[in-house]
């Protein structure tokens, strides 16, 4: 069965420092991986995805993610964190061929960026 | 939010009453999904639709039904609401069921007393 894990419930970073939000996955076949961000009382906003090709994927708001097949990881990164990046981040894998290609989500990681 | 609206945005209801949530899209996407978000669980699929009148169950479908009579509208009904259905409900859309991105609506916060 496909699954996604986000090992950290919360990540705390000082503004201006680099940030990493971790994600590992378990899939059969090729992984189609996504990152979403959720601000308080808002829906999920798409940040980036990995389908195929370059292992370093660039997305919205200066975020990027590195796909590592050998470590089955897809960590979200940003070189310099902003206070406005504080939000809930979800990693997800698309379950191709099942239930309309549903997304399987990790539990979410709360990112807090302090000034 | 990619041309997706949900109504109502907030609702408080009592146990045993029926509740219908609406998702409306202006993107003409074929696939529509209903997820629920609960702390510690991320989002989980309730039902999805792959075309008008074509729907199927997700992983947490018990107590829910759906209907899609038009491309743009996908309704989620709680036939007899229970406190365990207190949650935030999100609709999502996708053009295809493979590598395409799913885009999410703003959500409906439902409280069942």
């Amino acid at each position: 069965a496909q699954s996604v894990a986000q090992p950290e419930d919360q990540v705390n970073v000082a503004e201006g420092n680099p940030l990493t939000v971790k994600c590992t996955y378990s899939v059969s076949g090729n992984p189609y991986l996504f990152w979403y961000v959720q601000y308080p009382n808002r829906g999920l906003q798409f940040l980036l995805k990995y389908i195929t090709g370059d292992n370093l994927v660039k997305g919205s708001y200066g975020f990027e993610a590195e796909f590592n097949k050998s470590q089955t990881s897809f960590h979200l990164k940003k070189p310099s964190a902003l206070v406005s990046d504080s939000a809930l981040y979800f990693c997800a894998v698309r379950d191709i061929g099942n239930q309309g290609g549903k997304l399987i989500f990790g539990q979410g990681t709360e990112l807090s960026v302090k000034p | 939010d990619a041309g997706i609206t949900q109504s109502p945005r907030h609702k408080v209801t009592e146990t045993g009453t029926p509740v219908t949530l609406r998702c409306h899209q202006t993107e003409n996407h074929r696939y529509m999904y209903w997820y629920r978000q609960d702390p510690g669980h991320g989002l989980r699929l309730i039902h999805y639709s792959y075309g008008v009148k074509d729907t199927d169950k997700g992983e947490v479908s018990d107590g829910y039904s759906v209907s899609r009579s038009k491309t743009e509208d996908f309704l989620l009904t709680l036939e007899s609401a229970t406190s365990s259905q207190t949650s935030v409900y999100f609709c999502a859309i996708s053009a295809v069921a493979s590598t395409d991105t799913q885009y999410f609506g703003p959500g409906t916060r439902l409280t069942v007393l």
Side-chain angles (χ1 to χ4, degrees):
Chain A
Q2 326 271 40
S3 66
V4 172
Q6 294 179 241
E8 299 160 317
D9 289 336
Q10 182 151 10
V11 171
N12 298 307
V13 177
E15 188 174 32
N17 283 1
L19 69 87
T20 298
V21 183
K22 295 180 180 178
C23 172
T24 59
Y25 66 89
S26 175
V27 303
S28 54
N30 293 322
Y32 301 116
L33 297 158
F34 298 78
W35 275 102
Y36 289 86
V37 59
Q38 184 180 29
Y39 298 100
N41 301 312
R42 299 287 299 276
L44 276 69
Q45 295 181 29
F46 168 70
L47 280 178
L48 52 79
K49 67 180 177 183
Y50 173 83
I51 303 300
T52 186
D54 195 348
N55 289 343
L56 186 63
V57 179
K58 295 190 182 297
S60 306
Y61 313 121
F63 283 93
E64 57 189 27
E66 186 171 8
F67 172 68
N68 188 316
K69 188 173 183 178
S70 62
Q71 296 186 6
T72 62
S73 66
F74 188 55
H75 300 332
L76 182 70
K77 300 181 180 184
K78 189 174 183 182
S80 179
L82 300 172
V83 172
S84 57
D85 292 330
S86 298
L88 184 59
Y89 290 80
F90 288 101
C91 181
V93 63
R94 189 122 194 207
D95 193 359
I96 304 297
N98 283 308
Q99 295 178 331
K102 69 177 180 181
L103 286 170
I104 298 171
F105 285 87
Q107 307 94 307
T109 298
E110 188 80 42
L111 173 67
S112 177
V113 182
K114 301 293 187 187
Chain B
D1 290 315
I4 310 168
T5 56
Q6 293 184 231
S7 59
R9 295 293 314 278
H10 301 272
K11 186 169 182 67
V12 179
T13 191
E14 293 190 350
T15 298
T17 60
V19 176
T20 296
L21 309 182
R22 179 181 183 241
C23 176
H24 178 80
Q25 61 144 330
T26 57
E27 307 296 322
N28 200 37
H29 281 356
R30 178 182 175 190
Y31 288 84
M32 299 185 75
Y33 308 81
W34 279 107
Y35 292 88
R36 59 177 288 174
Q37 182 181 19
D38 303 292
H41 289 279
L43 281 77
R44 293 175 293 173
L45 182 69
I46 305 171
H47 281 279
Y48 70 99
S49 169
Y50 48 98
V52 173
K53 292 186 169 49
D54 293 322
T55 65
D56 205 349
K57 296 178 179 179
E59 57 189 297
V60 290
S61 59
D62 287 349
Y64 301 96
S65 62
V66 290
S67 65
R68 191 170 179 198
S69 59
K70 298 185 290 185
T71 298
E72 57 267 34
D73 289 327
F74 191 32
L75 303 181
L76 176 71
T77 297
L78 289 65
E79 293 136 11
S80 178
T82 68
S83 58
S84 65
Q85 294 175 312
T86 293
S87 187
V88 182
Y89 292 85
F90 288 101
C91 174
I93 65 173
S94 175
V96 295
S98 57
T99 57
D100 192 37
T101 300
Q102 286 189 21
Y103 293 97
F104 286 79
T108 295
R109 183 173 296 276
L110 176 67
T111 302
V112 183
L113 301 175

